[in-house]
Amino acid sequence: MNRLALGVSPRGAQALYRATQAFAMVEGRDYVIPDDVKRLVIPVFAQPDSNQRSRPPWPNAAPRLSERILQEILTLVEVPL
């Protein structure tokens, strides 16, 4: 985990909060579940790496570094019960 220089900004956290609320609504719920958060963390938080400004157009491209780090965090952190 020593590869992180900065965490997510307050605006980024707010974006995840709003995205999970919207996703729950689309799913027909008026509440957010942990799986909603796990599903949206990477699309909301992952930023292009400095040496790779955009995602490659092919679907089987290797994940960017930011996506790999976020996936590692999601794997390590247990969902509270």
Side-chain angles (χ1 to χ4, degrees):
M1 271 318 136
N2 59 359
R3 298 173 292 198
L4 295 177
L6 296 173
V8 175
S9 71
R11 286 184 186 176
Q14 185 71 21
L16 180 63
Y17 176 73
R18 293 287 185 208
T20 56
Q21 286 182 321
F23 184 76
M25 187 182 76
V26 168
E27 293 290 309
R29 290 182 268 111
D30 59 355
Y31 55 91
V32 172
I33 60 174
D35 286 339
D36 298 340
V37 177
K38 289 184 97 170
R39 178 181 166 100
L40 294 174
V41 162
I42 292 175
V44 173
F45 287 169
Q47 295 295 316
D49 298 331
S50 59
N51 61 351
Q52 185 180 355
R53 288 288 173 206
S54 63
R55 186 178 186 93
W58 53 93
N60 295 332
R64 297 180 303 213
L65 178 60
S66 56
E67 292 176 13
R68 290 193 309 262
I69 291 171
L70 288 168
Q71 187 59 52
E72 184 177 339
I73 292 169
L74 289 173
T75 303
L76 293 173
V77 175
E78 294 183 26
V79 174
L81 298 175

